[in-house]
Amino acid sequence: MARYELGIDVSTIDAIDMHVHIEIDGHGHCSLPDALNEASAKYFKAEDRSPSLEKVAETYRELNMAAVIFTVDARTQLKHEPNSIEDLIAGAAEHNDVLIPFGSVDPRTGEDAIARAKHQALELGARGFKFHPSLQGFDPSSEEFYPLWETLQELGLPAIFHTGQNGMGAGLPGGYGIKLGYSNPILLDAVAADFPGLTVIMAHPSVPWQDEANSIATHKSNVFIDLSGWSPKYFPESLVKASNSMLQDKVLFGTDYPLITPAKWLGAFADLPLKDEVRPKILKDNAVKLLGLGG
């Protein structure tokens, strides 16, 4: 299997979407149980819940954008194997002019998670990792998981953590057993403090804990916020103000595609009261620096 090598010419693209899901592999296996797929599609009013990696690459190539792609390994909590992360990274290698693959491991699998993380990074070429504490059913601040964060810090790769409200399980009895509290961004403050060499990206406006997220990103230089998962017209006012001022170098464009399309997100983003010099930072420049893409 070919190792992923970056092939993006950042000087020619208009934006980098930091949050794109690949939730079906070449064998037709989905990352989520059917009940969660159906509930999230309804919650987000998604037209195509699980486009193929090839379709995602084509979409972003046509948009003249790059995309960070990933899935989530929640095998312990969901009792469901993820779609193939090996296939995801291999597919990104074939479309490396537009796709940047992040890996994922289930923190609850202990030493196996560490071994998988090293394999995905060192042998397959993953450029970061994605975690969803609520979906995976774990508290990221627990010292039980510190050996994993230490490994990621040593690898020098960023980690995206879902924060805030969950579309996963929304509207189902008991939310399908998914606990929102694991996605409180304050839990990531301890991770960022104890692993200052680990770049932590808090995914999404962290409703109902936006003030906590703003505070952590302001306080710690290794913490960033991606703006995916919500149409910008629904962003908390405090997030918009912070993005326009003290956090203008810390916020990142992200859609949550295929749940939200780039066209829908960008259309609403154009209406936000942001300074002209801030917009290109959010859409591209901050991600270029964070991902070490140069240009």
Side-chain angles (χ1 to χ4, degrees):
M1 183 177 291
R3 187 178 189 276
Y4 175 84
E5 299 291 345
L6 190 72
I8 295 169
D9 182 351
V10 295
S11 68
T12 64
I13 59 173
D14 297 327
I16 299 174
D17 187 337
M18 286 291 300
H19 202 110
V20 174
H21 289 267
I22 303 293
E23 298 196 343
I24 191 168
D25 60 28
H27 307 288
H29 180 70
C30 291
S31 65
L32 299 170
D34 289 344
L36 284 181
N37 263 331
E38 292 164 7
S40 59
K42 181 179 180 182
Y43 178 82
F44 285 99
K45 300 179 176 63
E47 293 180 9
D48 184 356
R49 181 66 181 81
S50 300
S52 67
L53 181 146
E54 290 73 21
K55 172 68 181 303
V56 171
E58 179 184 331
T59 296
Y60 281 86
R61 198 172 283 120
E62 290 175 354
L63 291 168
N64 199 39
M65 295 180 187
V68 170
I69 61 169
F70 46 70
T71 188
V72 176
D73 184 340
R75 66 186 68 201
T76 303
Q77 179 68 19
L78 299 181
K79 298 177 176 59
H80 181 92
E81 289 287 315
N83 52 309
S84 173
I85 295 166
E86 289 75 15
D87 283 2
L88 185 152
I89 298 174
E94 294 180 11
H95 298 277
N96 68 345
D97 59 315
V98 289
L99 300 182
I100 303 169
F102 274 30
S104 185
V105 298
D106 183 347
R108 292 169 64 183
T109 60
E111 290 294 329
D112 183 63
I114 292 172
R116 285 176 183 268
K118 290 179 178 178
H119 171 67
Q120 291 173 19
L122 300 175
E123 297 177 38
L124 303 183
R127 303 280 298 200
F129 287 86
K130 168 66 193 294
F131 300 95
H132 194 310
S134 289
L135 191 67
Q136 294 172 309
F138 79 103
D139 175 351
S141 70
S142 171
E143 292 189 5
E144 173 187 353
F145 306 109
Y146 271 30
L148 178 57
W149 311 146
E150 178 69 33
T151 297
L152 300 193
Q153 180 173 253
E154 290 172 357
L155 290 169
L157 296 175
I160 297 176
F161 292 84
H162 175 98
T163 66
Q165 170 69 25
N166 273 255
M168 296 298 106
L172 296 178
Y176 205 78
I178 293 169
K179 298 175 181 178
L180 300 181
Y182 288 144
S183 292
N184 187 330
I186 201 67
L187 300 178
L188 297 173
D189 184 63
V191 178
D194 292 337
F195 300 95
L198 175 63
T199 296
V200 173
I201 303 167
M202 299 184 291
H204 319 309
S206 300
V207 176
W209 303 292
Q210 192 60 55
D211 287 344
E212 286 90 332
N214 294 346
S215 178
I216 297 163
T218 301
H219 187 247
K220 292 177 170 62
S221 65
N222 54 321
V223 177
F224 296 77
I225 296 173
D226 89 35
L227 300 174
S228 67
W230 294 68
S231 168
K233 66 183 177 182
Y234 298 123
F235 283 0
E237 184 178 358
S238 68
L239 176 59
V240 176
K241 287 184 176 180
S243 298
N244 211 24
S245 54
M246 70 274 199
L247 291 184
Q248 63 182 275
D249 297 319
K250 306 293 290 295
V251 290
L252 306 154
F253 164 48
T255 58
D256 221 4
Y257 184 77
L259 298 173
I260 297 176
T261 66
K264 180 180 179 182
W265 194 97
L266 290 168
F269 180 71
D271 294 331
L272 289 184
L274 296 173
K275 301 170 186 173
D276 289 343
E277 62 268 25
V278 169
R279 292 182 186 276
K281 289 184 176 183
I282 294 174
L283 292 174
K284 176 182 171 182
D285 297 345
N286 293 342
V288 168
K289 292 176 184 175
L290 185 151
L291 294 169
L293 303 183

